[in-house]
Amino acid sequence: MTGFLKTLFPRRDADTAAVVRINRLRDEFKPLPDATLRTAYETANNVETVIAIAAVTAERLLGQRMFDVQLRGALALTRGSIAEMQTGEGKTLTAVPAVLWLARNRQGVHVMTVNDYLATRDAEWMGPIYRLLGLTCGSIRQGLSPVARRAAYACDITYATPNEIGFDYLRDQVALRPEDRVQRGFHSALIDEADSILIDEARIPLVIAGGEEAEGNLVLRADRLVRDFARGLDYRIEEHGRHVTLTDDGIHHAENILGCGNLFATENLEVLTTVQDALHAHALLHRDIDYLIKDGQVESIDEFKGRIAQDRRWPAGLHTAVEVKEGVALKSQGRIFGSITLENLLALYEHLCGMTGTAATQASEFGEIYNLAVEVIPPNRPMIRADYPDRVYRTKSEKHYALLDEIRAVNATGRPVLVGTASVAESEHLSWLLTDVPHNVLNARDEEREAALIALAGERGAVTISTNMAGRGTDICLGSGVAELGGLHVIGTNRHEARRIDFQLRGRAGRQGDPGTSRFFVSLEDDIVQRYGQALSGGEHFIPANQMQALATPEGVQRIVEGKNLEIRLFLRKYESSIEGQRQIVSKRRDGILLSEDLPEFDRMVALRTMDDEWSNHLSEVTELRSGIQWVAWGGRDPLHEYLRRVHAMFEEMMAGLDAEIERRIEEARENGIDPSQRGSTWTYLTTDNPFGSLTDRIRKGLVAKAKALFG
């Protein structure tokens, strides 16, 4: 525990002394003219001097004097740590001194935010500080032209979402001309909402695809097939509700209807995969919980944020299966030319640091995966919010009626209430039940109204029912007289698997020393209880004694789940490390061709297209291998070892034949008059990695039917 605390609270005494020195420097710099401040920054080689200059400039231009705790946060960032700062402490301004420190060598600093709006807002808001000190600042957003993107990346400081940076990286990786690239390298990155980007979204692959792939009618036949399946008879939903398996009856049913013979025969791999995708779509993915239909399209919902996950698709044919299930127009999956996870993208940077309101609970993961320490920064004013014990009920219905009573009781006092729900469906169900109290609903259906609804959420008598959208990145300001009534009351309708998501919701109340309260309502029917066989905290007398003995503290359950999820992520890294290493080898060789001055323009383009095609074929083969590698466990072999061996052999074979294939393609292109620059359009999107549980679970459990098919 002592070592853990040193990780969370390092250098407290040293930072206290440093803040004193910074404030002295502030007083010295304050009367200096702008030009002198700029000269002082350009010649500074001391962190404390740069922070003091930043603080003076911010106060001069924005009228905001940086708190001592913001100076502490800036010091943590310059050390390459993650600074945990509570809601309302001013993280956007805290980042500026650290950005100025990282930008001194003019190699470029990327400030990563969670959405385009914040990237644009923060660049415009903080831009005057950078410009006064002689630096350039730009931002990236969806829809920006390549020319504008290149200009933004050429700036000393660039604000953008990690997705946009990742997509630009993938597009640069398949560029046919050096001048088509927009980025200039990966030197430093400062990450806002670091837990969201480094943990929640780190495993999500970013994909660049192109061309067309015919879907055929197999997906339609598979959809009709599984619509007639019965749970327990044709399929079973496995542990934690994350994986579904066919029973013997379901297998025979599929073989008879599809007329394919042995469903597990090698030649039927596509059939088996398509049936499994259709079964996943119907049994495990639920409308208004995992996705919603908006403007005639399937839009997946980010479980951590409660928002529509822009440009995100499920892997392989699963998204198509959901589209068929819902009867909407099908989007082409396309041929994948390249892919990278955010974790591997961030590994390209020489320097990383970040900040968030909730990081301490994941400190070990930040250290193990990213080698980043977490430093907890104290609040500017003492936290006086009261967090009440959870209330536990037998059923969801009992829980909902109890929390409705609490909403009514608090609303009667005039205090505003924020209710955080787990899904669009739950938010709308509660709204339907709460007919006697005026309220607003904020969920992924109407994200456009978010700013207006949040602006009203702290007013006297306001009731806002929301998904996790209101749990991150939003400050709810108290209306006139609300503080005297007790401030905002936050109600959570479920416990999340990760404690920090609950802390984010609680953090909407009690900002900057404001009063406030919070309470979670849970039931024995909640997903986390059903998945992990334990309920959350309680103690209320109306729970039977034999059930109460099974109850654990909320953090006890969540720690177990967090540990399990960390194990999954670390295990998946082993599978991905080999393909990422191969990607870097191919990328380095491709760069050599792209930048070569010895190859004619024509030959160079053919060579680049050939490499892209060969790498795309390799990715397709690896995906197919990975989808079935768990079955080697039934033969007594180690799946990870077998996977790594085969992937290495496949890569060596591809690379060994690459030069000959390039020569063949060049001759073919010359003979047939092919223009190698006409590749056709490409597009980018995110996919959801591992949507139904860990590869370890699939390897451990597998399908009993498959084992029978293979080994009798």
Side-chain angles (χ1 to χ4, degrees):
M1 178 59 73
T2 302
F4 181 71
L5 290 178
K6 285 182 178 178
T7 300
L8 294 179
F9 305 103
R11 302 174 57 95
R12 280 258 170 120
D13 293 339
D15 279 0
T16 298
V19 168
V20 171
R21 291 192 295 270
I22 291 170
N23 282 325
R24 287 200 197 106
L25 287 170
R26 266 211 279 200
D27 293 337
E28 294 176 15
F29 288 133
K30 191 171 183 178
L32 299 179
D34 293 351
T36 307
L37 271 182
R38 177 173 178 171
T39 301
Y41 168 69
E42 291 173 343
T43 57
N45 56 10
N46 176 275
V47 169
E48 295 173 9
T49 300
V50 171
I51 293 177
I53 292 170
V56 169
T57 308
E59 189 169 3
R60 182 173 299 179
L61 296 179
L62 306 181
Q64 297 183 16
R65 179 173 175 82
M66 292 186 71
F67 306 134
D68 286 356
V69 294
Q70 290 176 301
L71 304 180
R72 285 177 178 267
L75 284 166
L77 294 172
T78 61
R79 287 193 287 266
S81 296
I82 293 176
E84 178 178 291
M85 300 178 68
Q86 296 180 12
T87 301
E89 294 294 306
K91 290 190 287 291
T92 303
L93 184 55
T94 298
V96 171
V99 171
L100 287 168
W101 174 252
L102 294 171
R104 298 178 340 278
N105 54 21
R106 304 298 180 94
Q107 291 183 274
V109 179
H110 294 169
V111 183
M112 297 187 181
T113 62
V114 293
N115 57 53
D116 284 355
Y117 164 75
L118 290 177
T120 303
R121 184 203 70 176
D122 293 353
E124 293 176 351
W125 187 12
M126 301 296 138
I129 299 174
Y130 303 130
R131 286 189 285 274
L132 185 146
L133 297 176
L135 301 177
T136 55
C137 178
S139 64
I140 304 289
R141 62 182 181 278
Q142 285 185 344
L144 212 60
S145 70
V147 173
R149 288 174 182 270
R150 192 176 299 109
Y153 284 118
C155 290
D156 298 306
I157 298 127
T158 308
Y159 283 79
T161 66
N163 292 347
E164 287 299 305
I165 293 173
F167 287 147
D168 283 331
Y169 175 75
L170 290 175
R171 283 187 283 261
D172 280 0
Q173 290 295 294
V174 297
L176 296 177
R177 305 176 185 86
E179 60 269 24
D180 291 339
R181 290 185 163 186
V182 299
Q183 293 177 334
R184 62 176 177 127
F186 296 84
H187 181 257
S188 301
L190 188 151
I191 305 168
D192 194 8
E193 302 293 357
D195 62 322
S196 175
I197 292 171
L198 295 178
I199 295 179
D200 299 341
E201 300 179 10
R203 309 300 316 165
I204 298 175
L206 287 71
V207 174
I208 185 167
E212 297 291 334
E213 281 190 351
E215 301 292 352
N217 67 355
L218 180 58
V219 291
L220 300 175
R221 296 172 63 201
D223 181 78
R224 289 194 293 268
L225 169 73
V226 302
R227 285 182 187 273
D228 294 331
F229 276 4
R231 181 175 180 178
L233 180 63
D234 295 295
Y235 68 91
R236 299 187 186 92
I237 295 179
E238 300 293 341
E239 180 187 11
H240 304 161
R242 290 182 174 177
H243 191 60
V244 61
T245 59
L246 290 164
T247 63
D248 286 343
D249 286 344
I251 293 168
H252 296 319
H253 193 174
E255 291 172 342
N256 291 334
I257 296 298
L258 298 177
C260 61
N262 181 0
L263 187 61
F264 294 96
T266 302
E267 63 270 18
N268 284 330
L269 178 60
E270 182 184 3
V271 178
L272 174 61
T273 302
T274 305
V275 170
Q276 197 72 21
D277 284 339
L279 190 55
H280 280 162
H282 281 273
L284 298 182
L285 292 177
H286 305 289
R287 187 169 177 169
D288 295 338
I289 296 177
D290 301 295
Y291 65 91
L292 52 79
I293 305 300
K294 190 170 185 179
D295 299 328
Q297 298 184 29
V298 173
E299 302 279 10
S300 62
I301 298 174
D302 188 312
E303 66 167 308
F304 297 102
K305 300 174 185 173
R307 303 177 185 276
I308 289 176
Q310 296 293 337
D311 297 322
R312 185 178 299 178
R313 293 171 64 83
W314 284 288
L318 179 56
H319 200 97
T320 300
V322 177
E323 290 171 335
V324 173
K325 168 189 172 183
E326 296 294 344
V328 302
L330 306 186
K331 287 184 177 179
S332 174
Q333 286 281 69
R335 183 183 186 188
I336 294 177
F337 289 132
S339 177
I340 191 170
T341 63
L342 290 182
E343 181 182 321
N344 288 328
L345 176 73
L346 292 168
L348 300 175
Y349 289 90
E350 297 177 33
H351 305 280
L352 280 180
C353 60
M355 53 189 184
T356 182
T358 47
T361 58
Q362 247 72 36
S364 60
E365 183 164 357
F366 286 123
E368 189 163 0
I369 293 180
Y370 298 101
N371 196 29
L372 292 172
V374 174
E375 301 189 35
V376 177
I377 309 301
N380 183 49
R381 296 177 181 173
M383 169 67 70
I384 62 172
R385 184 188 67 233
D387 297 324
Y388 298 136
D390 292 8
R391 287 187 174 165
V392 184
Y393 299 85
R394 294 185 186 89
T395 66
K396 285 185 178 180
S397 179
E398 291 174 337
K399 176 185 73 173
H400 283 158
Y401 282 107
L403 69 86
L404 288 172
D405 287 341
E406 176 137 333
I407 293 172
R408 295 183 181 106
V410 177
N411 177 253
T413 69
R415 293 179 61 195
V417 180
L418 174 67
V419 184
T421 65
S423 66
V424 172
E426 186 182 25
S427 68
E428 293 176 347
H429 177 63
L430 284 179
S431 175
W432 180 77
L433 292 174
L434 192 63
T435 57
D436 55 325
V437 177
H439 61 275
N440 290 314
V441 178
L442 175 59
N443 60 38
R445 290 195 200 280
D446 52 358
E447 294 182 5
E448 300 80 10
R449 300 175 59 212
E450 179 181 6
L453 294 181
I454 290 298
L456 299 173
E459 295 296 321
R460 185 184 182 104
V463 175
T464 307
I465 299 176
S466 175
T467 57
N468 284 338
M469 286 175 64
R472 182 184 291 276
T474 54
D475 282 352
I476 297 177
C477 299
L478 301 184
S480 177
V482 170
E484 290 73 15
L485 296 175
L488 178 69
H489 181 52
V490 173
I491 296 175
T493 66
N494 297 268
R495 282 288 193 164
H496 198 275
E497 290 185 3
R499 287 169 288 166
R500 57 196 168 77
I501 306 300
D502 294 343
F503 296 162
Q504 286 281 353
L505 178 60
R506 275 187 165 144
R508 299 314 100 197
R511 63 184 296 277
Q512 280 292 322
D514 284 343
T517 53
S518 73
R519 189 194 299 277
F520 280 82
F521 286 69
V522 295
S523 82
L524 300 179
E525 293 180 344
D526 288 351
D527 288 347
I528 192 172
V529 179
Q530 295 298 309
R531 285 184 177 182
Y532 300 99
Q534 299 183 66
L536 305 177
S537 69
E540 281 75 0
H541 65 279
F542 46 80
I543 299 295
N546 63 335
Q547 290 184 348
M548 281 304 302
Q549 291 176 357
L551 297 178
T553 64
E555 292 197 359
V557 175
Q558 290 167 315
R559 282 194 183 96
I560 293 173
V561 177
E562 289 165 357
K564 177 182 175 64
N565 289 338
L566 174 57
E567 289 177 4
I568 291 172
R569 288 191 284 270
L570 291 174
F571 186 83
L572 287 173
R573 291 182 82 209
K574 296 178 182 177
Y575 273 81
E576 292 175 355
S577 60
S578 61
I579 200 69
E580 173 60 15
Q582 292 172 0
R583 187 194 66 76
Q584 292 179 11
I585 292 172
V586 171
S587 176
K588 184 176 181 179
R589 180 164 179 183
R590 193 184 190 282
D591 282 351
I593 295 175
L594 178 68
L595 302 176
S596 172
E597 297 180 357
D598 298 329
L599 288 173
E601 186 67 347
F602 184 91
D603 290 8
R604 182 171 63 187
M605 284 193 178
V606 174
L608 293 173
R609 287 196 57 179
T610 303
M611 290 198 70
D612 294 342
D613 289 343
E614 291 297 291
W615 178 244
S616 176
N617 292 337
H618 180 64
L619 290 178
S620 178
E621 292 173 359
V622 169
T623 299
E624 184 175 327
L625 171 66
R626 180 169 169 173
S627 67
I629 197 65
Q630 64 265 33
W631 306 126
V632 305
W634 291 101
R637 290 170 290 171
D638 175 57
L640 177 59
H641 175 77
E642 188 69 13
Y643 172 84
L644 295 176
R645 184 187 68 80
R646 292 190 192 180
V647 168
H648 176 73
M650 290 159 55
F651 182 73
E652 290 294 307
E653 182 180 359
M654 180 195 77
M655 295 300 288
L658 187 58
D659 288 338
E661 181 64 15
I662 289 175
E663 289 297 326
R664 187 188 71 79
R665 296 269 194 104
I666 290 174
E667 291 298 323
E668 182 182 60
R670 285 174 177 162
E671 291 176 5
N672 298 327
I674 298 174
D675 183 354
S677 66
Q678 302 302 308
R679 177 166 51 194
S681 63
T682 60
W683 59 90
T684 52
Y685 60 88
L686 296 104
T687 185
T688 302
D689 189 36
N690 190 33
F692 302 115
S694 71
L695 191 58
T696 50
D697 286 341
R698 301 204 303 274
I699 290 171
R700 186 182 70 249
K701 301 171 74 162
L703 295 177
V704 173
K706 176 62 175 176
K708 290 180 179 178
L710 288 176
F711 308 110

